[in-house]
Amino acid sequence: MRILVIHGPNLNMLGKRNKKHYGACSLDDINGMLSQTAKKNLVSLLVFQSNHEGELINFLQKNAQKASGILINPGALTHYSYSLRDALEDTNLPTVEVHLSDISKREPFREIDVLDGIVIEKIVGLKEKSYIVGLENLINYIRRKRSL
Ligand code: DQA
């Protein structure tokens, strides 16, 4: 099983961003924890971060055929990127959306989530643990579907 892990704009700066919202881990720390979780579950990850919407879309178009699911933190694109939403929907892959902070309890513009309706699950507010819970839930979902 191969999972695409996608980090959107500004997530390369984790560790230096507002710790109250995002915690203290760097993106490398988070990717390290994700790869341990993947190893434990015998799955492989293809990890990608970009600050550019089009690059995220190119990555999805190029790699979705070889993957079983997507774990994504779209950063601020969550709140307005219809083209990223379309690209995710076009993959037809089960997608789990994660956020370090609880986007429903911050500024009003963060309450808008254009991925609503196309993801199988959204995990928010657990800081770096959102990613781990999200990956585990995605793997379990794919395994359950395969065994039906
Ligand atoms: C975020 C929440 C977004 O609103 C914000 O723009 C981010 C990070 C989170 O993980 O909490 O960059 O996706």
Side-chain angles (χ1 to χ4, degrees):
M1 191 195 296
R2 175 188 280 168
I3 308 279
L4 306 181
V5 176
I6 301 178
H7 307 284
N10 298 309
L11 294 166
N12 56 315
M13 298 302 284
L14 287 177
K16 298 186 181 114
R17 297 184 73 186
N18 187 328
K19 295 193 173 42
K20 179 178 132 225
H21 293 307
Y22 305 123
C25 288
S26 67
L27 192 59
D28 280 349
D29 295 336
I30 290 174
N31 286 334
M33 290 178 225
L34 286 172
S35 77
Q36 278 183 9
T37 306
K39 212 165 158 193
K40 203 173 70 193
N41 285 281
L42 305 175
V43 308
S44 75
L45 302 181
L46 194 57
V47 181
F48 184 68
Q49 189 278 329
S50 179
N51 292 326
H52 303 275
E53 184 178 20
E55 282 188 7
L56 298 170
I57 292 167
N58 288 344
F59 176 82
L60 280 168
Q61 291 180 356
K62 186 165 166 226
N63 294 292
Q65 299 92 317
K66 296 165 264 164
S68 308
I70 301 169
L71 181 76
I72 185 164
N73 182 348
L77 294 172
T78 307
H79 315 300
Y80 64 89
S81 177
Y82 297 117
S83 49
L84 181 62
R85 177 194 161 105
D86 283 348
L88 286 166
E89 193 175 21
D90 288 348
T91 66
N92 284 312
L93 290 174
T95 300
V96 171
E97 173 187 354
V98 298
H99 297 280
L100 300 137
S101 63
D102 185 348
I103 54 174
S104 70
K105 298 209 171 92
R106 297 181 59 192
E107 303 94 322
F109 76 86
R110 292 186 208 273
E111 285 168 28
I112 297 164
D113 187 339
V114 301
L115 302 193
D116 280 351
I118 63 152
V119 297
I120 59 162
E121 193 178 15
K122 176 158 73 168
I123 314 276
V124 304
L126 305 177
K127 306 245 166 51
E128 65 280 358
K129 286 202 189 81
S130 295
Y131 280 93
I132 308 306
V133 174
L135 180 59
E136 283 173 343
N137 290 2
L138 178 60
I139 294 167
N140 290 337
Y141 176 90
I142 295 165
R143 295 224 159 107
R144 255 197 325 272
K145 279 264 160 176
R146 282 185 181 173
S147 67
L148 289 179

